[in-house]
Amino acid sequence: MAKITLDDVTKRFGDGGEAVVAVDEISLDIEDGEFVVFVGPSGSGKSTLMRIVAGLETQSEGDVAIGNTVVNQLGPRARDIAMVFQNYALYPNMTVEENMSFGLKMSTNLSEEEVEEKVTSAAEMMGIGNLLDNRPGELSGGQQQRVALGRAIVRDPNVFLMDEPLSNLDAKLRASMRTEINRLQNDLGVTTLYVTHDQTEAMTMGDRLVVLNYGELQQVGTPLECFYRPANQFVAGFLGSPSMNFFEGSVEGGTLRADGFDYDLTQQMQSSVGKRNEVVLGARPEDITIHDQSTADTGFEAVVDVVEPMGSISYVYLQPTAQETDQTFVVETDGQRPISESQHVAVEIPGDDVHLFDTATGETIHQRRLDSEAEVALNEQM
Ligand code: ADP
Ligand code: MG
């Protein structure tokens, strides 16, 4: 078991003006036994950071420590880390048992019996005890990924690094493996760094999220903290599906003039806005309501562009009707509610459950209201 400390870690590829900054001055303390999920879009530096921790890549600047030891000069083998990748790279000519025991036989002095015991117990844990004599080609994708995880477990490492390990699996299997990795990490208590570009995995898996964009750290926090208290517009838009709706607008007194509608700012919002002339309003699809136009006396008018029925809910894509506009937004509605394309509705964006962002920097200047119990729970996490 070990804590991990990143201190101002930077990685540049290439020289001078051509250089790509893949990882940009990342500092982070990961506790012993913690499950931390690194999330961000493709190219945000997640894999590079994992490879630096593993010792497969050398940082341009900064220090990496595992436990209390700075490991900058240590090779991958000396770091006592087990990695699981998207391409799990099992040896095709070896059986499952041989695949799982190979690393142990190479790197330890364990006896045959000890190796067998470890492999059997890891295989049981991963539910592949009956497949030990099979070769990878005879296994499904999910079973192969279990072998790869089992191979990492038998190493009994200080740290697990997992880089998009579920990307090659179909949606259903991905969901069940998510649960399984959660349970496994819980049981083993091994410090785990898990990389994904998938916001669902990020929300459901880690103790903490590290949100990255362009190699820069955007926010570190529990999943719910990042979701309900996003540090900036990027985090707000990245977590949640469909994404938070953003409405750019100019501020005139107590009113935000957005593209296609006016929105009344509360006193509290007005003081958050301060002297800014422009801000971005953010509202999640589940917080906006649509009413039958004939009965509504508040809100603004919009026309339904597309309806995506999901079953229990529907996603309704809309456009304000007031003027020619490119603004579109999405609202979550009850799946049983009849609604059709081209229908006109009245839209209500709530006064409390919205965020405001600085238009220039993207920084959050106003956070949504939370239920008081949620507020307390979240403050305890922070
Ligand atoms: P992610 O895993 O988040 O998709 P990566 O860490 O793979 O991102 O890449 C981050 C950035 O670094 C990207 O712009 C990528 O093109 C660049 N990069 C990664 N590896 C190399 C390399 N070996 N040589 C040059 N550029 C690289
Ligand atoms: Mg990657």
Side-chain angles (χ1 to χ4, degrees):
M1 311 294 140
K3 64 177 181 178
I4 297 174
T5 314
L6 305 180
D7 188 12
D8 265 340
V9 173
T10 294
K11 177 66 184 181
R12 280 181 293 271
F13 289 108
D15 296 317
E18 303 283 291
V20 174
V21 183
V23 174
D24 200 355
E25 295 185 25
I26 303 277
S27 292
L28 198 61
D29 287 317
I30 295 165
E31 287 168 36
D32 184 10
E34 207 182 357
F35 189 173
V36 176
V37 174
F38 290 75
V39 64
S42 174
S44 56
K46 307 179 298 293
S47 293
T48 303
L49 198 53
M50 280 314 100
R51 293 172 55 78
I52 289 170
V53 174
L56 298 169
E57 197 85 71
T58 309
Q59 64 269 33
S60 312
E61 282 157 34
D63 294 324
V64 177
I66 300 177
N68 294 316
T69 314
V70 174
V71 295
N72 298 353
Q73 307 299 332
L74 294 184
R77 274 176 186 277
R79 296 192 186 191
D80 198 10
I81 278 172
M83 300 193 72
V84 182
F85 295 106
Q86 175 179 350
N87 301 313
Y88 16 85
L90 302 175
Y91 300 105
N93 298 322
M94 292 186 189
T95 64
V96 166
E97 178 165 20
E98 286 161 350
N99 264 287
M100 286 176 68
S101 59
F102 183 70
L104 274 188
K105 286 181 178 161
M106 296 296 286
S107 64
T108 66
N109 301 319
L110 296 175
S111 69
E112 287 275 317
E113 291 75 37
E114 285 168 316
V115 169
E116 194 184 324
E117 194 184 306
K118 277 177 181 287
V119 167
T120 311
S121 122
E124 291 298 331
M125 193 179 272
M126 292 312 303
I128 48 170
N130 57 336
L131 300 174
L132 286 171
D133 297 328
N134 291 69
R135 283 174 212 283
E138 301 166 327
L139 307 181
S140 69
Q143 290 168 331
Q144 291 186 34
Q145 191 54 288
R146 276 166 221 264
V147 176
L149 283 165
R151 182 172 61 179
I153 294 167
V154 294
R155 300 268 313 280
D156 196 11
N158 265 331
V159 178
F160 281 130
L161 300 182
M162 304 192 187
D163 191 346
E164 314 242 7
L166 308 183
S167 304
N168 284 347
L169 307 181
D170 65 54
K172 206 160 185 176
L173 198 52
R174 225 168 31 231
S176 69
M177 287 299 286
R178 240 179 15 229
T179 318
E180 218 160 301
I181 291 178
N182 266 336
R183 179 181 53 77
L184 194 72
Q185 203 279 337
N186 236 333
D187 291 351
L188 298 174
V190 176
T191 314
T192 302
L193 277 52
Y194 185 101
V195 164
T196 181
H197 66 274
D198 178 323
Q199 66 88 29
T200 311
E201 277 181 31
M203 285 303 296
T204 52
M205 294 187 77
D207 300 323
R208 279 197 302 167
L209 298 186
V210 175
V211 187
L212 296 173
N213 195 25
Y214 295 116
E216 291 175 13
L217 204 150
Q218 304 293 312
Q219 186 164 6
V220 181
T222 64
L224 290 181
E225 212 178 296
C226 295
F227 184 85
Y228 285 111
R229 290 282 178 261
N232 57 40
Q233 192 177 343
F234 174 80
V235 176
F238 193 78
L239 298 177
S241 176
S243 290
M244 184 183 286
N245 297 292
F246 296 121
F247 306 94
E248 288 182 21
S250 56
V251 180
E252 288 175 27
T255 304
L256 179 74
R257 300 210 185 284
D259 199 1
F261 65 95
D262 288 346
Y263 179 84
D264 292 333
L265 298 167
T266 63
Q267 282 299 330
Q268 207 192 348
M269 287 178 187
Q270 289 179 45
S271 66
S272 311
V273 168
K275 292 196 161 36
R276 292 174 180 85
N277 296 319
E278 308 212 311
V279 294
V280 176
L281 175 72
R284 294 202 183 272
E286 55 273 28
D287 295 322
I288 303 178
T289 38
I290 51 182
H291 302 284
D292 201 349
Q293 222 199 331
S294 57
T295 60
D297 51 7
T298 55
F300 63 92
E301 189 186 311
V303 59
V304 176
D305 185 17
V306 175
V307 179
E308 279 180 4
M310 304 296 291
S312 59
I313 55 168
S314 294
Y315 296 124
V316 182
Y317 292 80
L318 298 129
Q319 240 180 348
T321 46
Q323 62 188 72
E324 279 293 306
T325 169
D326 297 334
Q327 178 79 58
T328 59
F329 58 100
V330 54
V331 176
E332 182 186 308
T333 62
D334 189 319
Q336 295 186 35
R337 176 173 175 173
I339 189 150
S340 51
E341 278 154 34
S342 306
Q343 189 176 332
H344 286 250
V345 296
V347 175
E348 207 160 346
I349 297 180
D352 288 327
D353 305 337
V354 298
H355 300 261
L356 293 175
F357 306 96
D358 185 291
T359 305
T361 65
E363 171 204 359
T364 307
I365 56 176
H366 174 85
Q367 300 281 22
R368 62 169 294 159
R369 180 194 60 89
L370 291 176
D371 298 343
S372 52
E373 283 172 41
E375 181 95 58
V376 170
L378 213 53
N379 286 339
E380 279 170 3
Q381 286 178 9
M382 290 168 84

